[in-house]
Structures are given as structure tokens and as C-alpha cells.
Amino acid sequence: MKNNNSKTIKVDYLARVEGEGALHIKIKDDQLIDVKFIIFEPPRFFEAFLRGRNYYEAPDITARICGICPIAYQMGASHAMEDALGVKVDGVLRDLRRLIYCGEWIESHVLHVYMLHAPDFLGMHDALQISQVHPELVKQALQLKKIGNEIVSLIGGREIHPINVRIGGFYKAPAKKDLLKLAEKLNWAKEAAFDMIQFTSKLDFPDFDQDYEFVALSHPDEYPLNEGRLISNKGLDIDISEFENHFEESHVKHSTSLHAVLKKRGEYKVGPLARYNLNFEKLPDEVQKAALSAGLKKECHNPFKSIIIRSVETLFAVDEALKIIDKYEEPEESFIEITPKAGRGYGCTEAPRGICYHSYELDDNGIITDANIVPPTSQNQKVIERDLRNFIPLHLHLSDDELKWKCEQAIRNYDPCISCSCHFLNLTVERT
Amino acid sequence: MNNSSKTIIIGIGHEYRCDDRVGLVVIRNLQKYNIPDVTITEASGEGTQLMQLWENYNRVILIDAAYSGKTVGEIYRFNYDDLYKFKKWFACSSHTFSLPQALELAKQLDQLPPDLTIFGIESNNFNNGTTLSEPVEAAAEIVTHLILNEFTPKKRAVV
């Protein structure tokens, strides 16, 4: 729609993201006036219907929040309940949790890099077009993703909404011989992950370094998956139980997903860039070397280069999975016995898209009386809008279609999982 | 495992979006019968998962809700060549990569099942809920028996 110096560009549905979202941009006299990242996916009310359920139902219920990242929810729920009930899962069961999480990182990152984001960098609309030019690349991607799914399926019993995760561990531990068969495939996957880094490192990236407050978990001994303190590059260093003292969510009119901010400073960024920047030294030497060989430095502030970071994290996940399988010995018990009691517990784990926070209150019988879940995509909404506010003025000279595509690409930097964030994109640009 | 001599039947659907669960309903109907040498499974419709499920199977049958605006409960039976004309009918999905894209990509990569049939059931209620529209429920029964007739045309054991 055009009126004098105003123009409207609409994208009814953002392609190549999970869920339904929209974008509204107002431009007047070639100046950007306002940007709104609109999420209109219906609220899903998980926090509400968790209340009144038993503590042990939380992993199975919260897994339904997402089909791409169910492990993130199952782990967050499990850790939070165990925290409330005074239980610590350690040793081989802890390793199995890291292993299943590695599977999720692999399948989620590979799906996003090759199927959802790479087309943007290649000037193509989808992976189908990529396959017409680079069929072997797409075949390799599908095979790599499949291996990630197989890890989740073997440990979790099923690749979508796994059924083997429980509070205290797992219903059944995998046999070593089955993991060793997986290891054979993971050896191939390691080479494929190196190829993934090489492929993404050669893409063209706009010059768009930004000043972010990155927030991620940090652990003294490992690149974070399930556990750690919450830190930032601007002074945050807290136990996860203090999350609600430092972060707050609020409802904004244009989104069914709550926006989150750091109380003292505003928007912040979670996800692969945050993890990488805050935990580079925790990556294995081989992975660090691969990242630096790809042209990355120890810090990266360009959100478009998240596609390389996801590739680096895929290599990390494959490498970590192989290490865990190598030292695995079948446990005598696959879970720790739990006695329900009253309490409040906290869990925060690194979903593929960033930190995913859970807190629950239980009564004497272990019934959930309160639940709070903060997914990564809802936490990134404000920084997505800020990126667009900084990005769009640099590209106002583009045609409407080209601007539309660039904005979608900028949003896809975050691999948004919109359905998760609501407990798909319409773009409207108004130029006046 | 190479399943090249075997068949897989995949019901695609969403449990809590009314008519969108019809593929799952057909699968659950079929599971009451003892059909030898046939894998029967449910899927959410995410495209890469579908490609993994049908990999190495010679005969693949897919069942999914369709939306074209025609009469609710109408049953369509396609092979790949037909689907190209009707792919928008199966585009009602929030998945990033769903059935039509999976089929096209499989064709491009030479991974399309040799013998493929797609059943679509015309639906129009995709609201939250678990109830099938009456015509859709009736169509699910018909599709169940169409598939059963292919494998067990005479006696069938109910388990």
C-alpha cells in the first residue's frame, strides 16, 4: 500500500520459521518509525494446565510444547523437579542427559542451517532449490539430521515427544552395543559436521556487528547443555534460582508471546551466539580450531554468522556424543527413586535456540501448584526487533520484495520457534 | 535394515486440531487388524521425518487431511504425479517443511518411494479439539477399508 511518501509491504506468513508470526514496519519520509515483531499464534496455556498435575507428569506434558526441541523442555522440567525434591542426577545418567541433548542440537541445528537459513544466503527460496544445484549437500544434511534423530530415539524411545525421560533419570538405559552402532554413524557425522562449517563459512555475510548483552549458562568444566550459572558479557553472574529476580516478562499488545527483559538493562540475546561468546574456551580444542579456521574469532557479534556458529555447535555435539558413548557403562539403575514433598525448584538448560527456564512449586503430595516456563524465542523477541530497527534503515533503498526477504532472513538468524514462545510471519511495511 | 520388499502406511496428523487428526485415526483403525509384513505408524507431518520413515520401503501409503474447499469428507487418492497439481491442499501445516516439500525433495534426490499412494480426506475444521467432523469420520472408515482391501481382501483377523 502506498500513500504519498508512505508504503506498506506485507508478508502474510513468514516462511522457513516454526510457527506463525508477522512483522509490521512503519516508514515515513524514508525514516524508520516503528518495528513490531508480531506473534499471533494462539496462547497454549501450558503453565496453566500444569497446575494440579503430578510432578512426574511434567516431562511428558512439557515435551508437547515443541516437536523440534522436546528434550529442552523435558530436561528443564526434570532438573526443576529434582531441585524441588532435593535430588541430584549425576554420573552416567547425567551423561545420558547430555547425550540426548546432543541429539537434539544436531537435528535442530542441521534442519535450520540447511533447510531454513541456507536458502537465504544462496538466493534461493527453499532447500528444494538447493537440492537442484547441490543434491549431495542436501543428502548429507538429511543424513546428518537423521543421526541426531536416532540419538534422541535411542535414548528417549521416540524422536518426537520422547517417552523414556523421567524425573530422576530414564525409564530404561540404553545398551552399550546399541550406542556403539550409533557411534559408527557419528564417526561419519563428524566429517559431515566439518563440511557443514566449511560450507557455511563461505557464505556472504552483511557487515552487521551489533552490541548485545549475551546471556547463557556457564559451567566450569564443559560447554553448557543442562547445567551451570547464568552469566552475561555485561556483569550478570547468578544462580538459576535467581532468574526471576533479574529477568521479567511482560505482555505486549502485538504479541501473544510474553517479552522478556533484564530488569536493569532491557533486551538481551540468548542462543548459539551467546553460548559461543561466553563459553568459547570450553569448546574442545578441535572444535575451537575448526571455528577459527572458518574465519570466526573467539567472539562474534554479527547475527547473520549464527549459521556458522550453529555448524560449530553441531560439530561440538557430535564430538561430545562420541566421547560420552566411548566411556558409557550401563548403569545398574536407570533412575533415582523420588519421594514427593513440598518445595520450589528451578531448571535452566540450553535449548538449541537459547536458555529455557522452568520453575515449579509443589505441595506435600508432589502436585504442581505453580509453573513458570520462559522459552528462548520469547526472550529474543526484543532483540529481534532491535536488530530490525538497526538493519532496515541500511536497506531502505531495496525494492519491497527484496526488503521483505532481508527482514525475514534477519529474523531467521534467531531460528525462532514461535509455537514454543506462545505457551509464521506477516510483514507489513508502512512507508509514509 | 533394507525394507525394499515391504510396505509402510503412515498416517499424518495433529492430535488436537480436530479434522487434522484424521490420518492418525485411520492408522489406529488399521492397527486393530493383523496385516502381515506391513509397518503402520503415525507421523506429525514434518517433512524430514517422513523422508526418514519411508526410506527403503518399496510401497508407501500416506494418509492426511486435505483442504481444497470442496465437499467435506471427499476422499482423494493420488500418486506423486497427481500430487504436484494438488500440493496446496496439503499445505495446511505450521511445520517448516511438510508433506508436499518432502515429496518434491525426495523426487529431486531420487529418494521417492517406487510405489506411492497418498490418500487425502477433505477437511475443514482445524480448530483446537479432538473431534472429527462427521463426514471426515465416515471418510476415515472408508479409507481404512480401502487400504485393508489391498492387503487382506478376504479374511481379516481382528486383534
Side-chain angles (χ1 to χ4, degrees):
Chain A
M1 184 174 75
K2 198 166 181 177
N3 178 18
N4 296 330
N5 294 324
S6 70
K7 187 157 64 171
T8 300
I9 302 173
K10 275 191 176 184
V11 174
D12 290 327
Y13 247 50
L14 180 60
R16 290 185 269 124
V17 295
E18 194 288 328
E20 300 166 345
L23 180 63
H24 192 158
I25 302 170
K26 276 188 183 172
I27 298 169
K28 183 172 182 176
D29 295 328
D30 293 327
Q31 297 288 321
L32 180 66
I33 304 297
D34 191 29
V35 168
K36 286 188 176 64
F37 177 41
I38 302 165
I39 289 182
F40 55 86
E41 180 132 351
R44 301 170 70 208
F45 302 120
F46 272 85
E47 291 153 319
F49 63 72
L50 277 164
R51 294 177 188 125
R53 310 298 301 203
N54 283 290
Y55 73 93
Y56 53 77
E57 296 179 285
D60 291 322
I61 292 174
T62 58
R64 267 70 184 172
I65 293 174
C66 189
I68 302 174
C69 54
I71 298 298
Y73 290 93
Q74 293 194 315
M75 292 296 109
S78 297
H79 280 275
M81 293 304 179
E82 287 150 12
D83 184 46
L85 298 169
V87 170
K88 177 79 176 160
V89 171
D90 219 330
V92 67
L93 297 181
R94 183 186 191 275
D95 286 345
L96 281 176
R97 283 183 166 175
R98 280 180 70 81
L99 180 55
I100 197 173
Y101 226 146
C102 287
E104 179 161 283
W105 274 30
I106 292 165
E107 58 91 359
S108 177
H109 280 351
V110 170
L111 174 73
H112 184 257
V113 166
Y114 282 112
M115 303 296 174
L116 309 183
H117 211 193
D120 290 323
F121 294 91
L122 298 172
M124 298 181 182
H125 287 283
D126 52 34
L128 180 63
Q129 284 193 334
I130 298 181
S131 72
Q132 290 163 355
V133 181
H134 305 289
E136 292 310 312
L137 188 74
V138 176
K139 282 184 185 173
Q140 187 183 59
L142 290 170
Q143 190 59 30
L144 187 51
K145 180 184 184 300
K146 184 178 173 185
I147 292 168
N149 286 129
E150 286 179 3
I151 296 175
V152 175
S153 191
L154 178 59
I155 315 292
R158 191 164 70 186
E159 62 187 61
I160 294 182
H161 305 149
I163 51 175
N164 194 36
V165 173
R166 58 161 288 165
I167 311 296
F170 299 87
Y171 289 103
K172 187 179 171 188
K176 177 86 179 191
K177 62 178 176 59
D178 293 331
L179 285 175
L180 288 174
K181 285 181 197 166
L182 202 49
E184 290 172 18
K185 298 180 184 182
L186 282 164
N187 285 325
W188 173 88
K190 195 163 183 181
E191 291 308 309
F194 275 116
D195 289 346
M196 193 172 163
I197 295 172
Q198 282 304 306
F199 163 69
T200 53
S201 71
K202 291 175 183 153
L203 300 171
D204 287 325
F205 298 98
D207 188 13
F208 192 67
D209 274 19
Q210 300 293 294
D211 179 24
Y212 295 115
E213 176 149 11
F214 295 116
V215 175
L217 289 181
S218 177
H219 190 281
D221 304 321
E222 61 199 19
Y223 199 75
L225 283 166
N226 272 318
E227 296 171 42
R229 290 179 66 81
L230 273 169
I231 68 168
S232 82
N233 57 329
K234 299 197 177 185
L236 184 76
D237 186 352
I238 60 170
D239 187 88
I240 61 170
S241 61
E242 299 173 68
F243 181 93
E244 291 171 55
N245 297 335
H246 293 265
F247 297 85
E248 66 181 354
E249 293 182 283
S250 60
H251 181 241
V252 300
K253 204 172 167 184
H254 59 274
S255 178
T256 51
S257 171
L258 297 177
H259 278 212
V261 293
L262 267 160
K263 287 183 184 177
K264 290 181 180 174
R265 294 188 287 281
E267 73 257 356
Y268 61 99
K269 186 179 177 88
V270 302
L273 245 71
R275 285 192 291 265
Y276 179 87
N277 278 289
L278 296 171
N279 294 283
F280 177 85
E281 301 295 342
K282 299 295 188 309
L283 288 167
D285 289 345
E286 186 180 32
V287 180
Q288 288 186 27
K289 192 175 166 188
L292 298 173
S293 297
L296 291 172
K297 295 179 183 168
K298 293 182 182 181
E299 286 191 19
C300 178
H301 293 256
N302 186 340
F304 289 86
K305 292 188 178 178
S306 59
I307 195 171
I308 315 179
I309 307 286
R310 284 192 185 86
S311 306
V312 170
E313 287 196 330
T314 300
L315 176 61
F316 158 74
V318 171
D319 181 73
E320 180 73 1
L322 281 165
K323 285 172 177 156
I324 292 171
I325 291 172
D326 186 54
K327 70 177 187 177
Y328 177 75
E329 290 179 10
E330 292 175 43
E332 286 188 15
E333 301 292 340
S334 64
F335 61 89
I336 298 171
E337 287 288 349
I338 306 278
T339 302
K341 63 175 184 174
R344 183 158 195 98
Y346 309 89
C348 189
T349 70
E350 287 282 357
R353 293 155 185 81
I355 54 169
C356 187
Y357 168 82
H358 293 234
S359 74
Y360 302 96
E361 184 93 39
L362 304 176
D363 71 11
D364 289 335
N365 298 309
I367 301 293
I368 300 169
T369 56
D370 190 32
N372 188 18
I373 300 171
V374 185
T377 294
S378 71
Q379 296 176 71
N380 275 337
Q381 286 180 95
K382 281 211 184 308
V383 79
I384 288 173
E385 287 182 343
R386 198 193 80 170
D387 270 9
L388 290 164
R389 276 197 296 274
N390 292 337
F391 185 75
I392 290 166
L394 303 173
H395 296 86
L396 287 173
H397 59 283
L398 294 175
S399 69
D400 290 356
D401 282 345
E402 286 172 321
L403 178 60
K404 188 190 303 183
W405 192 340
K406 288 290 179 196
C407 287
E408 292 187 54
Q409 182 179 2
I411 292 171
R412 283 191 278 269
N413 287 338
Y414 289 83
D415 185 11
C417 198
I418 292 173
S419 299
C420 288
S421 72
C422 293
H423 306 253
F424 221 73
L425 185 70
N426 277 326
L427 168 62
T428 305
V429 177
E430 285 187 15
R431 298 185 197 244
T432 57
Chain B
M1 181 176 71
N2 186 331
N3 295 305
S4 58
S5 62
K6 293 189 177 179
T7 297
I8 186 167
I9 305 173
I10 306 171
I12 297 166
H14 191 298
E15 191 73 63
Y16 300 107
R17 289 216 175 165
C18 291
D19 291 349
D20 202 14
R21 70 193 294 267
V22 69
L24 309 181
V25 169
V26 171
I27 290 302
R28 291 165 195 174
N29 290 344
L30 290 169
Q31 283 169 336
K32 296 174 189 167
Y33 297 87
N34 186 11
I35 310 174
D37 298 324
V38 173
T39 303
I40 301 174
T41 191
E42 299 177 5
S44 66
E46 197 277 311
T48 57
Q49 188 207 18
L50 291 173
M51 293 175 73
Q52 287 169 213
L53 281 173
W54 72 49
E55 189 180 13
N56 295 325
Y57 279 91
N58 185 61
R59 174 99 178 91
V60 174
I61 299 174
L62 308 171
I63 310 113
D64 196 5
Y67 178 72
S68 70
K70 296 188 180 184
T71 306
V72 176
E74 197 162 328
I75 296 168
Y76 313 110
R77 179 176 177 140
F78 307 132
N79 58 34
Y80 177 80
D81 293 333
D82 300 322
L83 180 67
Y84 198 80
K85 302 174 198 169
F86 303 114
K87 67 178 180 178
K88 286 185 181 175
W89 296 6
F90 295 96
C92 42
S93 166
S94 66
H95 285 292
T96 51
F97 190 74
S98 55
L99 172 60
Q101 289 88 354
L103 289 168
E104 288 186 285
L105 184 60
K107 174 78 171 171
Q108 181 62 39
L109 298 176
D110 200 24
Q111 293 177 357
L112 205 60
D115 188 358
L116 172 68
T117 300
I118 304 140
F119 284 100
I121 297 175
E122 183 70 27
S123 306
N124 73 345
N125 180 11
F126 299 99
N127 293 317
N128 291 334
T130 57
T131 309
L132 290 181
S133 309
E134 277 187 28
V136 172
E137 190 168 7
E141 285 293 321
I142 295 169
V143 169
T144 301
H145 288 281
L146 284 172
I147 294 172
L148 280 171
N149 283 340
E150 179 176 331
F151 295 100
T152 55
K154 295 180 181 176
K155 277 192 179 178
R156 292 187 288 270
V158 177
V159 293

